[in-house]
Coordinates of all heavy atoms in Angstrom, one line a residue:
M18 N 0.9 -29.9 -95.8 CA 0.9 -28.7 -94.9 C -0.5 -28.1 -94.9 O -1.0 -27.8 -93.8 CB 2.0 -27.7 -95.5 CG 2.0 -26.5 -94.7 SD 2.9 -26.8 -93.1 CE 3.4 -25.3 -92.7
R19 N -1.1 -27.9 -96.0 CA -2.4 -27.3 -96.0 C -3.5 -28.2 -95.4 O -4.3 -27.8 -94.7 CB -2.9 -27.1 -97.5 CG -4.2 -26.3 -97.6 CD -4.3 -25.7 -99.0 NE -5.7 -25.3 -99.3 CZ -6.3 -24.3 -98.9 NH1 -5.7 -23.5 -98.1 NH2 -7.5 -24.0 -99.3
K20 N -3.3 -29.5 -95.5 CA -4.2 -30.5 -94.9 C -4.1 -30.4 -93.3 O -5.1 -30.5 -92.6 CB -4.0 -31.9 -95.3 CG -4.4 -32.2 -96.7 CD -4.1 -33.6 -97.1 CE -4.6 -33.9 -98.5 NZ -4.4 -35.3 -98.9
K21 N -2.9 -30.2 -92.8 CA -2.7 -30.0 -91.3 C -3.4 -28.8 -90.9 O -4.0 -28.8 -89.8 CB -1.2 -29.9 -91.0 CG -0.5 -31.2 -91.0 CD 0.9 -31.0 -90.5 CE 1.6 -32.4 -90.5 NZ 3.0 -32.2 -90.0
I22 N -3.4 -27.7 -91.6 CA -4.0 -26.5 -91.2 C -5.5 -26.6 -91.2 O -6.2 -26.2 -90.2 CB -3.6 -25.3 -92.1 CG1 -2.1 -25.0 -91.9 CG2 -4.5 -24.1 -91.8 CD1 -1.6 -23.9 -92.9
I23 N -6.0 -27.3 -92.2 CA -7.5 -27.5 -92.3 C -7.9 -28.4 -91.1 O -8.9 -28.2 -90.4 CB -7.8 -28.1 -93.6 CG1 -7.7 -27.0 -94.7 CG2 -9.3 -28.6 -93.6 CD1 -7.9 -27.5 -96.1
F24 N -7.1 -29.5 -90.9 CA -7.4 -30.4 -89.8 C -7.4 -29.7 -88.4 O -8.3 -29.9 -87.6 CB -6.5 -31.6 -89.8 CG -6.6 -32.6 -88.7 CD1 -7.7 -33.5 -88.8 CD2 -5.9 -32.7 -87.6 CE1 -8.0 -34.4 -87.8 CE2 -6.1 -33.5 -86.6 CZ -7.1 -34.4 -86.7
R25 N -6.4 -29.0 -88.2 CA -6.3 -28.2 -86.9 C -7.4 -27.3 -86.7 O -8.0 -27.1 -85.6 CB -5.0 -27.5 -86.8 CG -3.8 -28.5 -86.5 CD -2.5 -27.7 -86.4 NE -1.4 -28.7 -86.2 CZ -0.2 -28.3 -86.3 NH1 0.2 -27.1 -86.6 NH2 0.8 -29.2 -86.1
S26 N -7.8 -26.6 -87.8 CA -8.9 -25.6 -87.7 C -10.2 -26.3 -87.4 O -11.0 -25.9 -86.7 CB -9.0 -24.9 -89.1 OG -7.9 -24.1 -89.3
A27 N -10.4 -27.5 -88.1 CA -11.6 -28.3 -87.9 C -11.7 -28.8 -86.4 O -12.8 -28.7 -85.8 CB -11.7 -29.4 -88.9
M28 N -10.6 -29.2 -85.9 CA -10.6 -29.7 -84.5 C -10.8 -28.6 -83.5 O -11.6 -28.8 -82.6 CB -9.2 -30.4 -84.2 CG -9.0 -31.7 -85.0 SD -10.2 -32.9 -84.6 CE -10.0 -33.3 -82.9
A29 N -10.2 -27.4 -83.8 CA -10.4 -26.3 -82.9 C -11.9 -25.9 -82.9 O -12.6 -25.6 -81.9 CB -9.6 -25.1 -83.3
L30 N -12.5 -25.9 -84.1 CA -14.0 -25.6 -84.2 C -14.8 -26.6 -83.5 O -15.7 -26.3 -82.7 CB -14.4 -25.5 -85.7 CG -15.8 -25.2 -85.9 CD1 -16.2 -23.9 -85.4 CD2 -16.2 -25.3 -87.4
L31 N -14.5 -27.9 -83.6 CA -15.2 -29.0 -82.9 C -15.1 -28.8 -81.4 O -16.1 -29.0 -80.6 CB -14.8 -30.3 -83.3 CG -15.3 -30.8 -84.7 CD1 -14.6 -32.1 -85.1 CD2 -16.7 -30.9 -84.8
I32 N -13.9 -28.5 -80.9 CA -13.8 -28.3 -79.5 C -14.5 -27.1 -79.0 O -15.2 -27.2 -78.0 CB -12.2 -28.2 -79.2 CG1 -11.5 -29.5 -79.4 CG2 -12.0 -27.7 -77.7 CD1 -10.0 -29.5 -79.3
A33 N -14.5 -26.0 -79.7 CA -15.3 -24.8 -79.3 C -16.8 -25.1 -79.3 O -17.4 -24.7 -78.4 CB -15.0 -23.7 -80.3
V34 N -17.3 -25.8 -80.3 CA -18.7 -26.1 -80.3 C -19.0 -27.1 -79.1 O -20.1 -26.9 -78.5 CB -19.1 -26.8 -81.7 CG1 -20.5 -27.4 -81.6 CG2 -19.0 -25.7 -82.8
G35 N -18.2 -28.0 -78.9 CA -18.4 -28.9 -77.7 C -18.5 -28.2 -76.4 O -19.3 -28.5 -75.6
L36 N -17.6 -27.2 -76.3 CA -17.6 -26.5 -75.0 C -18.8 -25.6 -74.9 O -19.4 -25.5 -73.8 CB -16.3 -25.5 -74.9 CG -15.0 -26.3 -74.7 CD1 -13.8 -25.4 -74.8 CD2 -15.0 -26.9 -73.3
L37 N -19.3 -25.0 -76.0 CA -20.5 -24.2 -75.9 C -21.7 -25.1 -75.6 O -22.5 -24.7 -74.8 CB -20.7 -23.5 -77.3 CG -19.9 -22.4 -77.6 CD1 -20.1 -21.9 -79.0 CD2 -20.1 -21.2 -76.6
I38 N -21.8 -26.3 -76.2 CA -22.9 -27.2 -75.8 C -22.8 -27.6 -74.4 O -23.8 -27.7 -73.7 CB -22.9 -28.4 -76.8 CG1 -23.2 -27.9 -78.2 CG2 -23.9 -29.5 -76.3 CD1 -23.0 -29.0 -79.3
A39 N -21.6 -28.0 -73.9 CA -21.5 -28.4 -72.5 C -21.9 -27.3 -71.6 O -22.6 -27.5 -70.6 CB -20.1 -28.9 -72.3
T40 N -21.5 -26.1 -71.9 CA -21.9 -25.0 -71.0 C -23.4 -24.7 -71.0 O -24.0 -24.5 -69.9 CB -21.1 -23.6 -71.5 OG1 -19.8 -23.9 -71.6 CG2 -21.5 -22.5 -70.7
G41 N -24.0 -24.9 -72.1 CA -25.5 -24.7 -72.2 C -26.2 -25.8 -71.4 O -27.2 -25.5 -70.7
V42 N -25.7 -27.0 -71.4 CA -26.3 -28.1 -70.7 C -26.2 -27.9 -69.3 O -27.1 -28.1 -68.5 CB -25.7 -29.5 -71.2 CG1 -26.1 -30.6 -70.2 CG2 -26.1 -29.8 -72.6
M43 N -25.0 -27.5 -68.8 CA -24.8 -27.2 -67.4 C -25.7 -26.1 -66.9 O -26.2 -26.2 -65.8 CB -23.3 -27.0 -67.1 CG -22.5 -28.2 -67.2 SD -20.8 -27.9 -66.7 CE -20.2 -26.5 -67.6
A44 N -25.8 -25.1 -67.7 CA -26.7 -24.0 -67.3 C -28.1 -24.4 -67.2 O -28.9 -24.0 -66.3 CB -26.6 -22.8 -68.3
A45 N -28.6 -25.2 -68.1 CA -30.0 -25.7 -68.1 C -30.2 -26.6 -66.9 O -31.2 -26.6 -66.3 CB -30.3 -26.5 -69.4
E46 N -29.2 -27.4 -66.5 CA -29.3 -28.3 -65.4 C -29.5 -27.5 -64.1 O -30.1 -27.9 -63.1 CB -28.2 -29.3 -65.3 CG -28.1 -30.3 -66.4 CD -27.0 -31.2 -66.3 OE1 -26.1 -31.0 -65.6 OE2 -26.9 -32.2 -67.1
K47 N -28.8 -26.4 -64.0 CA -28.8 -25.5 -62.8 C -30.0 -24.6 -62.7 O -30.3 -24.0 -61.7 CB -27.5 -24.7 -62.7 CG -26.3 -25.5 -62.5 CD -25.1 -24.7 -62.4 CE -23.8 -25.5 -62.3 NZ -22.6 -24.7 -62.2
A48 N -30.8 -24.5 -63.8 CA -32.0 -23.7 -63.8 C -33.0 -24.1 -62.8 O -33.3 -25.3 -62.7 CB -32.6 -23.7 -65.2
T49 N -33.5 -23.2 -62.0 CA -34.5 -23.5 -61.0 C -35.9 -23.6 -61.6 O -36.3 -22.6 -62.3 CB -34.4 -22.4 -59.9 OG1 -33.1 -22.3 -59.4 CG2 -35.4 -22.7 -58.8
P50 N -36.6 -24.6 -61.4 CA -37.9 -24.7 -61.9 C -38.8 -23.6 -61.3 O -38.7 -23.2 -60.1 CB -38.4 -26.1 -61.4 CG -37.2 -26.8 -61.1 CD -36.2 -25.9 -60.7
E51 N -39.7 -23.1 -62.1 CA -40.6 -22.0 -61.7 C -42.0 -22.4 -62.1 O -42.2 -23.2 -62.9 CB -40.2 -20.7 -62.4 CG -38.9 -20.2 -62.0 CD -38.6 -18.7 -62.4 OE1 -39.5 -17.9 -62.4 OE2 -37.5 -18.5 -62.9
T52 N -42.9 -21.8 -61.3 CA -44.4 -22.2 -61.6 C -45.1 -20.8 -62.0 O -44.9 -19.8 -61.3 CB -45.0 -22.7 -60.2 OG1 -44.3 -23.9 -59.9 CG2 -46.5 -23.0 -60.4
I53 N -45.8 -21.0 -63.1 CA -46.7 -19.8 -63.5 C -48.1 -20.3 -63.6 O -48.4 -21.5 -63.9 CB -46.1 -19.3 -64.8 CG1 -46.0 -20.2 -65.9 CG2 -44.8 -18.6 -64.6 CD1 -45.7 -19.6 -67.3
K54 N -49.0 -19.4 -63.5 CA -50.4 -19.7 -63.6 C -51.0 -18.8 -64.8 O -50.6 -17.6 -64.9 CB -51.1 -19.4 -62.3 CG -52.6 -19.6 -62.4 CD -53.2 -19.2 -61.0 CE -54.7 -19.1 -61.2 NZ -55.3 -18.5 -60.0
G55 N -51.9 -19.4 -65.6 CA -52.5 -18.6 -66.6 C -53.4 -19.5 -67.5 O -53.6 -20.7 -67.2
M56 N -54.0 -18.9 -68.5 CA -54.9 -19.5 -69.4 C -54.2 -20.0 -70.6 O -53.3 -19.3 -71.3 CB -55.9 -18.5 -69.9 CG -56.9 -18.9 -71.0 SD -58.3 -19.8 -70.3 CE -59.1 -18.6 -69.4
V57 N -54.4 -21.3 -70.9 CA -53.8 -21.9 -72.2 C -54.6 -21.4 -73.4 O -55.8 -21.5 -73.4 CB -53.8 -23.5 -72.1 CG1 -53.2 -24.1 -73.3 CG2 -53.1 -23.9 -70.8
E58 N -53.9 -20.9 -74.3 CA -54.5 -20.4 -75.6 C -53.8 -21.0 -76.8 O -52.7 -21.5 -76.6 CB -54.4 -18.9 -75.6 CG -55.1 -18.2 -74.5 CD -55.0 -16.6 -74.6 OE1 -54.3 -16.1 -75.5 OE2 -55.6 -16.0 -73.7
Q59 N -54.5 -20.9 -77.9 CA -53.8 -21.4 -79.2 C -53.1 -20.2 -79.7 O -53.6 -19.2 -80.0 CB -54.8 -21.9 -80.1 CG -54.2 -22.6 -81.4 CD -55.1 -23.4 -82.2 OE1 -56.2 -23.7 -81.7 NE2 -54.7 -23.8 -83.3
G60 N -51.8 -20.4 -79.8 CA -50.9 -19.3 -80.4 C -50.8 -19.4 -81.9 O -51.5 -20.1 -82.5
N61 N -49.8 -18.6 -82.4 CA -49.6 -18.6 -83.8 C -49.1 -20.0 -84.2 O -48.5 -20.7 -83.5 CB -48.4 -17.6 -84.1 CG -48.9 -16.2 -83.8 OD1 -50.1 -15.9 -83.8 ND2 -48.0 -15.3 -83.6
K62 N -49.4 -20.4 -85.4 CA -49.0 -21.6 -86.0 C -49.5 -22.8 -85.2 O -49.0 -23.9 -85.2 CB -47.5 -21.7 -86.1 CG -46.9 -20.6 -86.9 CD -45.4 -20.7 -86.9 CE -44.8 -19.5 -87.6 NZ -43.3 -19.4 -87.5
G63 N -50.7 -22.6 -84.5 CA -51.3 -23.7 -83.8 C -50.6 -24.2 -82.5 O -51.0 -25.2 -82.0
T64 N -49.6 -23.5 -82.0 CA -48.9 -24.0 -80.9 C -49.6 -23.5 -79.6 O -50.3 -22.4 -79.7 CB -47.5 -23.4 -80.8 OG1 -47.5 -22.0 -80.9 CG2 -46.7 -24.0 -81.9
A65 N -49.5 -24.2 -78.5 CA -50.2 -23.8 -77.3 C -49.3 -22.8 -76.5 O -48.1 -23.0 -76.5 CB -50.5 -25.0 -76.4
V66 N -49.9 -21.8 -76.0 CA -49.2 -20.8 -75.2 C -50.0 -20.6 -73.9 O -51.2 -21.0 -73.8 CB -49.1 -19.4 -75.9 CG1 -48.2 -19.6 -77.1 CG2 -50.4 -18.8 -76.2
I67 N -49.3 -20.1 -72.9 CA -50.0 -19.8 -71.6 C -49.9 -18.3 -71.5 O -48.8 -17.7 -71.6 CB -49.4 -20.5 -70.4 CG1 -50.2 -20.3 -69.1 CG2 -47.9 -20.2 -70.2 CD1 -49.9 -21.2 -68.0
K68 N -51.0 -17.6 -71.2 CA -51.1 -16.2 -71.0 C -51.4 -15.9 -69.6 O -52.4 -16.4 -69.0 CB -52.1 -15.6 -71.9 CG -52.1 -14.1 -72.0 CD -52.9 -13.5 -73.1 CE -52.5 -12.1 -73.3 NZ -53.0 -11.6 -74.5
T69 N -50.5 -15.2 -68.8 CA -50.7 -15.0 -67.4 C -51.6 -13.8 -67.2 O -51.9 -13.0 -68.1 CB -49.3 -14.7 -66.8 OG1 -48.7 -13.5 -67.4 CG2 -48.3 -15.9 -66.9
D70 N -52.0 -13.6 -66.0 CA -52.9 -12.5 -65.6 C -52.3 -11.1 -65.9 O -53.0 -10.2 -66.2 CB -53.3 -12.5 -64.1 CG -54.3 -13.7 -63.9 OD1 -54.9 -14.2 -64.9 OD2 -54.3 -14.2 -62.7
D71 N -50.9 -11.0 -65.8 CA -50.3 -9.7 -66.1 C -49.9 -9.5 -67.5 O -49.2 -8.6 -67.9 CB -49.1 -9.6 -65.2 CG -48.0 -10.6 -65.4 OD1 -48.2 -11.5 -66.3 OD2 -46.9 -10.6 -64.8
G72 N -50.5 -10.4 -68.4 CA -50.3 -10.2 -69.9 C -49.1 -10.8 -70.5 O -48.9 -10.8 -71.7
Q73 N -48.3 -11.6 -69.7 CA -47.1 -12.2 -70.3 C -47.6 -13.5 -71.1 O -48.5 -14.2 -70.6 CB -46.1 -12.6 -69.3 CG -45.5 -11.4 -68.5 CD -44.4 -11.9 -67.5 OE1 -43.4 -12.4 -67.9 NE2 -44.7 -11.8 -66.3
T74 N -46.9 -13.7 -72.2 CA -47.2 -15.0 -72.9 C -46.0 -15.8 -73.0 O -44.9 -15.4 -73.3 CB -47.7 -14.6 -74.3 OG1 -48.9 -13.7 -74.2 CG2 -48.1 -15.8 -75.2
F75 N -46.2 -17.2 -72.7 CA -45.1 -18.1 -72.8 C -45.5 -19.3 -73.7 O -46.6 -19.8 -73.7 CB -44.8 -18.7 -71.4 CG -44.3 -17.7 -70.4 CD1 -45.2 -17.0 -69.6 CD2 -43.0 -17.6 -70.2 CE1 -44.8 -16.1 -68.7 CE2 -42.5 -16.6 -69.3 CZ -43.4 -15.9 -68.5
L76 N -44.6 -19.6 -74.7 CA -44.7 -20.7 -75.5 C -44.6 -22.0 -74.6 O -43.6 -22.1 -73.9 CB -43.7 -20.7 -76.6 CG -43.7 -21.9 -77.6 CD1 -45.0 -22.0 -78.4 CD2 -42.5 -21.7 -78.5
I77 N -45.4 -23.0 -74.8 CA -45.4 -24.2 -74.0 C -44.6 -25.2 -74.7 O -44.9 -25.6 -75.8 CB -46.8 -24.7 -73.6 CG1 -47.5 -23.6 -72.8 CG2 -46.7 -26.0 -72.9 CD1 -49.0 -24.0 -72.6
L78 N -43.5 -25.7 -74.1 CA -42.7 -26.8 -74.6 C -42.7 -28.0 -73.7 O -42.8 -27.8 -72.5 CB -41.3 -26.3 -74.9 CG -41.1 -25.1 -75.8 CD1 -39.7 -24.6 -75.7 CD2 -41.5 -25.4 -77.2
G79 N -42.5 -29.2 -74.2 CA -42.3 -30.3 -73.4 C -43.6 -31.1 -73.0 O -43.6 -32.2 -72.5
Q80 N -44.8 -30.5 -73.3 CA -46.1 -31.1 -73.0 C -47.0 -30.8 -74.1 O -47.0 -29.6 -74.6 CB -46.6 -30.6 -71.7 CG -45.9 -31.0 -70.4 CD -46.1 -32.4 -70.0 OE1 -47.1 -33.1 -70.3 NE2 -45.1 -33.0 -69.3
N81 N -47.9 -31.7 -74.5 CA -48.9 -31.4 -75.4 C -50.1 -30.9 -74.6 O -50.7 -31.7 -73.9 CB -49.3 -32.7 -76.2 CG -50.4 -32.4 -77.2 OD1 -51.0 -31.3 -77.3 ND2 -50.7 -33.4 -78.0
M82 N -50.4 -29.6 -74.7 CA -51.4 -29.0 -73.9 C -52.7 -28.7 -74.7 O -53.5 -27.8 -74.3 CB -50.9 -27.7 -73.2 CG -49.7 -27.9 -72.4 SD -49.9 -28.4 -70.7 CE -50.7 -27.0 -70.0
A83 N -52.8 -29.3 -75.8 CA -53.9 -28.9 -76.8 C -55.3 -29.2 -76.1 O -56.2 -28.4 -76.4 CB -53.8 -29.8 -78.1
T84 N -55.4 -30.2 -75.3 CA -56.7 -30.4 -74.6 C -57.0 -29.5 -73.5 O -58.1 -29.5 -72.9 CB -56.7 -31.9 -74.0 OG1 -55.6 -32.0 -73.0 CG2 -56.5 -32.9 -75.1
M85 N -56.0 -28.6 -73.1 CA -56.1 -27.7 -72.1 C -56.5 -26.3 -72.6 O -56.6 -25.4 -71.7 CB -54.9 -27.7 -71.1 CG -54.5 -29.0 -70.5 SD -55.8 -29.7 -69.5 CE -55.7 -28.7 -68.1
I86 N -56.6 -26.1 -73.9 CA -56.9 -24.8 -74.4 C -58.2 -24.3 -73.8 O -59.2 -25.0 -73.8 CB -56.9 -24.8 -76.0 CG1 -55.5 -25.0 -76.4 CG2 -57.5 -23.5 -76.5 CD1 -55.3 -25.2 -77.9
G87 N -58.2 -23.1 -73.3 CA -59.3 -22.4 -72.7 C -59.4 -22.6 -71.2 O -60.4 -22.1 -70.6
K88 N -58.5 -23.4 -70.7 CA -58.5 -23.7 -69.3 C -57.4 -22.9 -68.5 O -56.4 -22.7 -69.1 CB -58.4 -25.2 -69.0 CG -59.6 -25.9 -69.6 CD -59.5 -27.4 -69.4 CE -60.7 -28.1 -70.0 NZ -60.5 -29.5 -69.9
T89 N -57.6 -22.7 -67.3 CA -56.6 -22.1 -66.4 C -55.7 -23.2 -65.8 O -56.3 -24.1 -65.3 CB -57.2 -21.2 -65.3 OG1 -58.0 -20.2 -66.0 CG2 -56.1 -20.6 -64.5
V90 N -54.4 -23.1 -65.9 CA -53.5 -24.1 -65.5 C -52.4 -23.5 -64.6 O -52.1 -22.2 -64.7 CB -52.9 -24.9 -66.6 CG1 -54.0 -25.7 -67.3 CG2 -52.1 -24.1 -67.5
K91 N -51.8 -24.3 -63.8 CA -50.6 -23.9 -63.1 C -49.5 -24.9 -63.7 O -49.7 -26.1 -63.6 CB -50.7 -24.2 -61.6 CG -49.6 -23.6 -60.8 CD -49.8 -23.9 -59.3 CE -51.0 -23.4 -58.7 NZ -51.1 -23.6 -57.3
V92 N -48.5 -24.3 -64.3 CA -47.4 -25.2 -64.9 C -46.1 -24.9 -64.2 O -45.8 -23.8 -63.7 CB -47.3 -24.9 -66.4 CG1 -48.5 -25.3 -67.2 CG2 -46.9 -23.5 -66.7
T93 N -45.3 -25.9 -64.0 CA -44.0 -25.9 -63.5 C -43.0 -26.3 -64.5 O -43.2 -27.3 -65.2 CB -43.9 -26.8 -62.2 OG1 -44.9 -26.3 -61.3 CG2 -42.5 -26.7 -61.6
G94 N -41.9 -25.6 -64.6 CA -40.9 -25.9 -65.6 C -39.8 -24.9 -65.6 O -39.7 -24.0 -64.7
T95 N -39.0 -25.0 -66.6 CA -37.8 -24.1 -66.8 C -38.1 -23.0 -67.7 O -38.6 -23.3 -68.9 CB -36.6 -24.9 -67.3 OG1 -36.3 -26.0 -66.4 CG2 -35.4 -24.0 -67.4
L96 N -38.0 -21.7 -67.3 CA -38.3 -20.6 -68.2 C -37.1 -20.3 -69.1 O -35.9 -20.5 -68.7 CB -38.6 -19.4 -67.4 CG -39.8 -19.4 -66.5 CD1 -39.9 -18.1 -65.7 CD2 -41.0 -19.6 -67.3
S97 N -37.4 -19.9 -70.3 CA -36.4 -19.6 -71.3 C -36.8 -18.3 -72.0 O -38.0 -18.2 -72.4 CB -36.2 -20.7 -72.3 OG -35.3 -20.3 -73.3
K98 N -35.9 -17.3 -72.1 CA -36.2 -16.1 -72.8 C -35.3 -15.9 -74.0 O -34.1 -15.9 -73.9 CB -36.0 -14.9 -71.8 CG -37.0 -14.9 -70.6 CD -36.8 -13.7 -69.7 CE -37.8 -13.8 -68.6 NZ -37.7 -12.6 -67.7
G99 N -36.0 -15.8 -75.1 CA -35.3 -15.5 -76.3 C -35.4 -14.0 -76.6 O -35.8 -13.2 -75.8
K100 N -34.9 -13.6 -77.8 CA -35.0 -12.2 -78.2 C -36.4 -11.7 -78.3 O -36.7 -10.6 -77.9 CB -34.2 -12.0 -79.5 CG -32.7 -12.1 -79.4 CD -32.0 -11.8 -80.7 CE -30.6 -11.9 -80.6 NZ -29.9 -11.7 -81.9
T101 N -37.3 -12.5 -78.9 CA -38.6 -12.1 -79.1 C -39.7 -12.9 -78.4 O -40.8 -12.5 -78.3 CB -39.0 -12.0 -80.6 OG1 -38.8 -13.3 -81.1 CG2 -38.1 -11.0 -81.3
T102 N -39.3 -14.1 -77.9 CA -40.3 -15.0 -77.3 C -39.9 -15.5 -75.9 O -38.6 -15.5 -75.7 CB -40.6 -16.2 -78.2 OG1 -39.4 -16.9 -78.4 CG2 -41.2 -15.8 -79.5
R103 N -40.8 -15.8 -75.1 CA -40.5 -16.5 -73.8 C -41.1 -17.8 -73.9 O -42.2 -18.0 -74.5 CB -41.1 -15.7 -72.7 CG -40.3 -14.4 -72.4 CD -41.0 -13.6 -71.4 NE -42.0 -12.8 -72.2 CZ -42.8 -11.9 -71.7 NH1 -42.8 -11.7 -70.4 NH2 -43.5 -11.2 -72.5
S104 N -40.5 -18.8 -73.3 CA -41.1 -20.2 -73.3 C -40.9 -20.8 -72.0 O -40.1 -20.3 -71.2 CB -40.5 -21.0 -74.4 OG -39.1 -21.1 -74.2
I105 N -41.6 -21.9 -71.7 CA -41.5 -22.7 -70.5 C -41.5 -24.1 -70.9 O -42.3 -24.6 -71.7 CB -42.6 -22.4 -69.5 CG1 -42.3 -23.2 -68.2 CG2 -43.9 -22.6 -70.0 CD1 -43.0 -22.7 -67.0
I106 N -40.4 -24.8 -70.5 CA -40.3 -26.2 -70.8 C -41.0 -26.9 -69.6 O -40.5 -27.0 -68.4 CB -38.8 -26.7 -70.8 CG1 -38.2 -25.9 -72.0 CG2 -38.7 -28.2 -71.1 CD1 -36.6 -26.0 -72.0
V107 N -42.2 -27.4 -69.8 CA -43.1 -27.8 -68.7 C -42.7 -29.2 -68.3 O -42.6 -30.1 -69.1 CB -44.6 -27.8 -69.2 CG1 -45.5 -28.4 -68.1 CG2 -45.0 -26.4 -69.6
T108 N -42.5 -29.4 -66.9 CA -42.3 -30.7 -66.4 C -43.5 -31.2 -65.7 O -43.6 -32.4 -65.5 CB -41.1 -30.6 -65.3 OG1 -41.4 -29.6 -64.4 CG2 -39.8 -30.2 -66.0
S109 N -44.4 -30.4 -65.3 CA -45.7 -30.8 -64.7 C -46.7 -29.7 -64.8 O -46.4 -28.5 -64.9 CB -45.5 -31.2 -63.2 OG -45.2 -30.1 -62.4
F110 N -48.0 -30.1 -64.7 CA -49.1 -29.1 -64.8 C -50.3 -29.6 -64.1 O -50.5 -30.8 -64.0 CB -49.3 -28.6 -66.2 CG -50.0 -29.7 -67.1 CD1 -51.4 -29.8 -67.2 CD2 -49.3 -30.6 -67.8 CE1 -52.0 -30.7 -68.0 CE2 -49.9 -31.6 -68.6 CZ -51.2 -31.6 -68.7
E111 N -51.2 -28.7 -63.7 CA -52.5 -29.1 -63.2 C -53.5 -28.0 -63.6 O -53.1 -26.8 -63.6 CB -52.4 -29.3 -61.7 CG -52.0 -28.0 -60.9 CD -52.0 -28.2 -59.4 OE1 -53.0 -28.3 -58.8 OE2 -50.8 -28.2 -58.9
E112 N -54.7 -28.4 -63.8 CA -55.8 -27.5 -64.0 C -56.2 -26.8 -62.7 O -56.2 -27.4 -61.7 CB -56.9 -28.2 -64.6 CG -58.1 -27.3 -65.0 CD -59.3 -28.0 -65.7 OE1 -59.2 -29.2 -65.9 OE2 -60.2 -27.3 -66.0
V113 N -56.4 -25.5 -62.8 CA -56.8 -24.7 -61.7 C -58.3 -24.4 -61.8 O -58.7 -23.8 -62.9 CB -56.0 -23.5 -61.5 CG1 -56.5 -22.6 -60.4 CG2 -54.5 -23.8 -61.4
Q114 N -59.1 -24.6 -60.8 CA -60.5 -24.3 -60.8 C -60.6 -22.9 -60.3 O -60.2 -22.6 -59.2 CB -61.3 -25.2 -60.0 CG -61.2 -26.7 -60.5 CD -61.8 -26.9 -61.9 OE1 -62.7 -26.2 -62.3 NE2 -61.2 -27.8 -62.6
D115 N -61.1 -21.9 -61.1 CA -61.3 -20.5 -60.6 C -62.7 -20.4 -59.9 O -63.7 -21.0 -60.1 CB -61.3 -19.6 -61.8 CG -59.8 -19.4 -62.2 OD1 -58.9 -19.5 -61.4 OD2 -59.6 -19.1 -63.4

C-alpha cells in the first residue's frame, strides 16, 4: 500500500515537471527575436556582456564574444529577464563601425 502511494506521488511529480518543461520550451519557441546594439565588455567572472547606450547590461549567451570585447556590435537573439540579470541568447551578430 505504501509503495503504491510513493509510486503515484513520484509519477505525479514527473508529470508536473514534464508539463513545466514543455510549457517553457513552447514559450521559448514563440519568443520573438530582438536586436540590440551596444559595446561588448568583460563582465563579472570573465563573461562577456553587452552594454547599451541607455545603460542596460545583458549577459551574452549562445556565442563566444571574447574577441569582440571593446567593440560595438548589433546582436539578434532572444531576450531573457531574470530577477537580477538580463541576458540575450544570441543567434547572430555583426560589428558596427561608429
Side-chain angles (χ1 to χ4, degrees):
M18 180 73 160
R19 183 162 166 78
K20 287 183 181 182
K21 280 186 180 180
I22 293 173
I23 292 173
F24 179 75
R25 286 182 182 166
S26 297
M28 290 304 294
L30 180 63
L31 285 174
I32 290 170
V34 169
L36 288 172
L37 286 173
I38 291 171
T40 303
V42 168
M43 288 189 306
E46 288 176 355
K47 293 181 182 178
T49 304
E51 296 192 40
T52 300
I53 58 174
K54 178 183 166 189
M56 175 82 67
V57 178
E58 299 179 357
Q59 186 165 349
N61 297 337
K62 301 177 186 173
T64 58
V66 297
I67 186 167
K68 191 165 194 172
T69 62
D70 290 339
D71 62 358
Q73 295 184 68
T74 302
F75 295 87
L76 177 63
I77 299 172
L78 303 173
Q80 294 282 337
N81 182 354
M82 305 271 299
T84 60
M85 302 303 286
I86 291 176
K88 298 180 181 178
T89 301
V90 296
K91 190 185 300 184
V92 297
T93 300
T95 305
L96 296 178
S97 174
K98 293 183 180 178
K100 288 183 180 179
T101 58
T102 60
R103 286 172 273 186
S104 60
I105 183 163
I106 302 169
V107 178
T108 55
S109 65
F110 69 93
E111 63 181 285
E112 184 176 356
V113 176
Q114 301 296 328
D115 285 330

